[in-house]
Amino acid sequence: MRTWFYACTVADVPANGGVCVKYGDTQIALFHFARRGEWYATQNLCPHRRQMALSRGMIGSQDGEPKVACPFHKKTFSLSDGRCLSDDQECSLQTYPVKVEQDRIYIGVDVEE
């Protein structure tokens, strides 16, 4: 079952950047890709070196695919589906749906019933 939690306001997230929000003990990286008019959310934990850093990563596009690069290791991941876009295809990110309602950002998380 999916539940939507209030993460922050639109003004809390820098244009073309990210922030870290928490849902319980889970850290989620929330990105406002303003150049594309899109919002994305992924796990904040970089699976490559296991550091909570992705919310501070640089976002951009690769062959039209929105991506984030880890600020420490430069591994790149798709913001759409979490797959690794770098040479190491063994790691990927969990992604979350995002919706904006009246300047409020909500992130969808799956919870057990």
Side-chain angles (χ1 to χ4, degrees), residues 32-39:
H32 181 199
F33 204 150
R35 293 184 303 266
R36 295 174 64 115
E38 298 170 345
W39 291 84

Side-chain angles (χ1 to χ4, degrees), residues 87-98:
D87 56 354
D88 180 3
Q89 299 297 318
E90 294 181 24
C91 55
S92 62
L93 302 179
Q94 181 173 353
T95 60
Y96 303 89
V98 179

Side-chain angles (χ1 to χ4, degrees), residues 1 5 7 9 12 15 20 28 34 36-37 45 55 61-62 69 75 81 88 94 97 103:
M1 182 172 96
F5 77 92
T9 67
D12 293 327
C20 179
I28 298 175
R36 295 174 64 115
L45 178 70
S55 62
S61 296
Q62 180 175 328
K75 292 276 187 195
D81 62 16
D88 180 3
Q94 181 173 353
D103 290 330

Side-chain angles (χ1 to χ4, degrees), residues 44-59:
N44 195 37
L45 178 70
C46 177
H48 177 239
R49 292 280 174 96
R50 314 285 303 159
Q51 291 179 307
M52 295 290 187
L54 291 178
S55 62
R56 293 179 279 152
M58 293 185 62
I59 61 175

Side-chain angles (χ1 to χ4, degrees), residues 5-23 26-33 39-45 52-59 68 79 96 98 105-107:
F5 77 92
Y6 168 71
C8 60
T9 67
V10 168
D12 293 327
V13 185
N16 300 305
V19 296
C20 179
V21 297
K22 287 188 77 176
Y23 179 75
T26 303
Q27 290 189 28
I28 298 175
L30 174 64
F31 301 98
H32 181 199
F33 204 150
W39 291 84
Y40 298 95
T42 70
Q43 69 188 48
N44 195 37
L45 178 70
M52 295 290 187
L54 291 178
S55 62
R56 293 179 279 152
M58 293 185 62
I59 61 175
V68 61
L79 289 171
Y96 303 89
V98 179
I105 308 300
Y106 297 88
I107 298 173

